[in-house]
Amino acid sequence: MATILATPGEWTHVTLAGAGQYDPDEGLAAAERAGAWSAWRQAMTTGPETLVALIDRAGLRGRGGAGYPTAAKWRAARAQDDTVRHVVANGIEADPGALVDRTLMELDPHAVIEGAALAAYAVGAHAVHVAVKAGYQLAVERLRAAVAAAEDAGYIGVNAMDRGFDLHVEVRPLQGAFVLGEETVLIHALQSDRGMPDQRPPYPTARGLDGHPTVVNNVETLASVPWIVRNGAEAFTAAGRNGLAGTKLVQLSGTARHAGIAEVPMGTPLREVLERVGGGMAAGSTLKAVLVGGPAGGFLPESALDTPLDPAALEAAGAILGSGQILVVDQRACIVELGRLMERFMSDESCGKCIPCRIGTRRLYELAERATAGRPRPTDPQLLQALSADVRDGSLCGHGICAPNPLTSGMRYFADEYDAHFTAGTCPAGVCQPLRVTTVAATTAH
Ligand SMILES: Cc1cc2nc3c(=O)[nH]c(=O)nc-3n(C[C@H](O)[C@H](O)[C@H](O)COP(=O)(O)O)c2cc1C
Ligand code: SF4
């Protein structure tokens, strides 16, 4: 299990409020002593409209990357003229280096299930599908135990809480590529179809699982909901900073002094996360960049560390909130080589449905590969910029839209390093080993 990093005392715990407060293997009573299911009881007495209004006032936005307002999504599904609706809890955590959702599901499975139940109640859905990355065995076991316990207690199931509300919750382990985390692919996978992203509209809130209105929310988004019901919208808003509400789970890795998972106020500048949570750089390391958002994220230099944890601000800076990963990179790394590795991943994981992503990410990878191998072509810098824009603007889903980030952010902030690779064929960090062809005079043995 990942290490939970200590955070300053004045920072509020929302999604990690229940983590460590009970042993998930001890049963429902232990979880309830830590506050589990009290929000459910409360919300059932005040009704779904009150719940949606509360989440709206709280300013909760999706934690799955894009930051879409949760109440607006719920309202869109609720407004559909259909008697069948679904809620999907997205616990796929597609970024292979991320452990944030896994940690949350393992430490506080009841918060995820209770949050998903609340979302279902809010939108009038009678089915919740908790989709979990297949390798997350402990999370699957604990989530299933939480569902079984809540059913036995009559909190969910047929005629939940004796209020005439039926709610069936299933936990589905699913295996797939990076794009499985994308909401329309996830819906296909839950239907046991081959998964490729759909063109939108229609959005899943109008036409999702089996053609019915479906809300897809990240598990962290859902785990915030019971806390908001218990503590109020204002407390949630106050937990964030710089005009943003609530908290975000992030994962520090690489050459920070401390690596692990931490819950930080939304809107906290990256510099503060690195210094106050990560303890600064590890001994012997000097900061060169942080890769924010996982393999589709962007490399930000020291001068951009005042960027707050805010999807819009990070995007403007060339990164994404994505999986919440913050990979700290020191002076020994080559940004071009790291960009090449990320692009390789994005290219390999492209589902192939649309040409800008399928072919474009491959060409982007090849451009980076030529640069690190010491055989760039004179037009490669211009080609890289133009192709990145085409891939971003022409792709069907977020995979292709974000795929150029590791290279474009590198070119933007580490222009000298790119220039050295592109024009001089050298690697200032001494990481890349350009292929050199040397002529050796033949000697003849007598
Ligand atoms: C390539 C790709 C991968 C994604 N992976 C995840 C993921 O692992 N987990 C997740 O919650 N959302 C992921 N998303 C975003 C989802 O499509 C969707 O926006 C999100 O689950 C909605 O939940 P939210 O509103 O609570 O953020 C991914 C999107 C793309 C384009
Ligand atoms: S952008 Fe990439 S991952 Fe998304 S649909 Fe197109 S090919 Fe598939």
Side-chain angles (χ1 to χ4, degrees), residues 381-409:
Q382 292 76 24
L383 186 56
L384 203 155
Q385 293 286 17
L387 185 57
S388 293
D390 288 346
V391 172
R392 189 192 59 220
D393 298 341
S395 288
L396 180 63
C397 86
H399 184 99
I401 293 168
C402 296
N405 283 339
L407 298 177
T408 48
S409 59

Side-chain angles (χ1 to χ4, degrees), residues 3-19 60 63 100 103-104 107-108 220-221 223-225 227-228 230 235-236 239-241 245-252 260-268 272-273 276-278 309 324 326:
T3 308
I4 304 291
L5 298 173
T7 49
E10 70 271 22
W11 291 4
T12 309
H13 281 317
V14 173
T15 45
L16 288 188
L60 177 63
R63 298 320 196 219
V100 165
T103 303
L104 175 64
L107 289 182
D108 196 356
E220 189 185 338
T221 314
S224 305
V225 175
W227 191 95
I228 297 170
R230 286 198 305 270
F236 186 74
R241 289 169 60 180
T247 60
K248 176 77 194 89
L249 293 175
V250 297
Q251 179 175 341
L252 277 171
I261 310 282
E263 182 171 12
V264 306
M266 276 295 255
T268 305
E272 224 180 300
V273 177
R276 297 184 78 187
V277 182
L309 268 182
I326 303 176

Side-chain angles (χ1 to χ4, degrees), residues 60-70 73-74 88-95 101 133 177-186 197 200 215-222 296 322-323 346 349 397-402:
L60 177 63
R61 285 172 171 265
R63 298 320 196 219
Y68 191 78
T70 304
K73 194 181 271 193
W74 290 3
V88 174
N90 191 343
I92 293 299
E93 192 153 60
D95 175 353
D101 291 345
K133 189 187 273 184
F178 187 67
V179 82
L180 175 63
E182 195 274 341
E183 58 187 8
T184 60
V185 180
L186 188 48
R200 274 147 288 189
V215 162
V216 180
N217 272 141
N218 172 260
V219 287
E220 189 185 338
T221 314
L222 293 170
S323 61
M346 294 308 287
E349 297 291 309
C397 86
H399 184 99
I401 293 168
C402 296

Side-chain angles (χ1 to χ4, degrees), residues 146-162:
V147 170
E151 268 173 5
D152 286 349
Y155 296 164
I156 57 175
V158 177
N159 190 20
M161 311 283 292
D162 285 329

Side-chain angles (χ1 to χ4, degrees), residues 78-97:
R78 202 178 151 70
Q80 298 298 318
D81 185 17
D82 198 331
T83 51
V84 178
R85 297 185 187 83
H86 295 272
V87 165
V88 174
N90 191 343
I92 293 299
E93 192 153 60
D95 175 353

